[in-house]
Amino acid sequence: GLEWHRNEGIELTFLEPGNLGFAIRDRSFRLQPGDMTVTRPWQEHRVGLPTVGPCRLHWVILDVEVRRPNQHWNWPRWLVLTRGDLQELTTMLRHNERPVWKATSEIKRCFQQIARTVESNRSSSQISRLTAYLNEILVMTLEMMRGRHMRLDETLSSSRRTVELFLADL
C-alpha cells in the first residue's frame, strides 16, 4: 500500500473491481466497487491497510497551486466550468470532511474512458479527450455533491488549520 502521505492537489480515485483499505486521519474505510474518494490538497491519507489486494483503482491528481490549506485555489485554465460552478465546487471540496462517496454511473464511465484513452495511445494527441473527461468528472462530482446533504466546515481551510498541520508534522 501507500503509506501516509499528502498531495499538492485534489486527488480523485475510483475503485472498479475489488476492495481496498483507505484512511484519512483517524478514520478507516473499506472501499467497495463503485466507491470514489476525494482528498483535498495536503489532506493526509493512505491507501491499503496495510496492503493493496487485487483491484483496479483509477486516480487523478489536479494541482490547484496551493502549498497550505488556507491558500486560494487556482484551478487549471483548461477547465470549462462556469465561474459560479467552479466556486461552488471549490467551496464543497475545501470545506468537506467526507472523503468516500458512491460514484454515479457517469463518473464511473469517465474514469473508464480515461483509462482506455491512456492505455490505447500514449501520445499527446489524446490530451483534448482526457481534458474533456476530466471536466466531465468535475461537473458530475459537483452534481453528485449537490444532491447529497453535506456538512461544510470552513475551519478546514483556515490559517489555524495550517498551523495545526505544521505542528503535527514536527
Side-chain angles (χ1 to χ4, degrees):
L2 292 175
E3 286 301 317
W4 291 104
H5 66 282
R6 292 184 172 103
N7 299 314
E8 292 183 356
I10 299 161
E11 181 177 5
L12 303 170
T13 72
F14 174 75
L15 183 65
E16 207 166 346
N19 61 60
L20 180 64
F22 173 80
I24 61 164
R25 261 197 269 151
D26 57 348
R27 297 184 347 199
S28 297
F29 303 87
R30 176 60 58 185
L31 302 180
Q32 301 298 317
D35 283 347
M36 175 181 177
T37 67
V38 179
T39 53
R40 296 183 310 277
W42 299 105
Q43 185 176 22
E44 191 173 34
H45 62 286
R46 69 183 283 185
V47 178
L49 301 176
T51 60
V52 174
C55 67
R56 182 172 180 151
L57 182 70
H58 304 265
W59 59 271
V60 62
I61 299 172
L62 295 175
D63 187 4
V64 290
E65 300 179 8
V66 297
R67 304 302 170 248
R68 295 180 306 278
N70 63 324
Q71 287 183 309
H72 174 77
W73 288 15
N74 295 308
W75 288 90
R77 291 192 327 234
W78 48 262
L79 289 181
V80 297
L81 282 76
T82 66
R83 185 174 300 203
D85 283 350
L86 198 54
Q87 181 58 45
E88 184 180 4
L89 180 63
T90 302
T91 298
M92 288 180 173
L93 293 175
R94 287 184 79 184
H95 302 138
N96 172 31
E97 194 72 330
R98 180 178 172 180
V100 179
W101 299 80
K102 187 53 80 177
T104 65
S105 60
E106 293 91 354
I107 291 172
K108 174 182 177 179
R109 180 187 52 75
C110 286
F111 272 108
Q112 290 172 331
Q113 289 294 95
I114 288 171
R116 282 189 203 102
T117 301
V118 170
E119 290 167 355
S120 70
N121 185 342
R122 297 188 184 272
S123 72
S124 62
S125 65
Q126 297 294 332
I127 298 297
S128 294
R129 185 177 300 278
L130 293 172
T131 301
Y133 292 135
L134 288 169
N135 271 282
E136 191 171 356
I137 285 174
L138 292 175
V139 169
M140 295 300 139
T141 299
L142 174 60
E143 290 178 357
M144 177 186 70
M145 290 180 162
R146 280 177 179 157
R148 307 209 178 134
H149 297 291
M150 295 179 11
R151 187 176 77 81
L152 299 179
D153 182 357
E154 292 184 19
T155 65
L156 295 174
S157 62
S158 67
S159 296
R160 179 183 179 100
R161 173 93 167 143
T162 300
V163 172
E164 287 171 354
L165 290 174
F166 174 76
L167 293 175
D169 281 346
L170 291 179

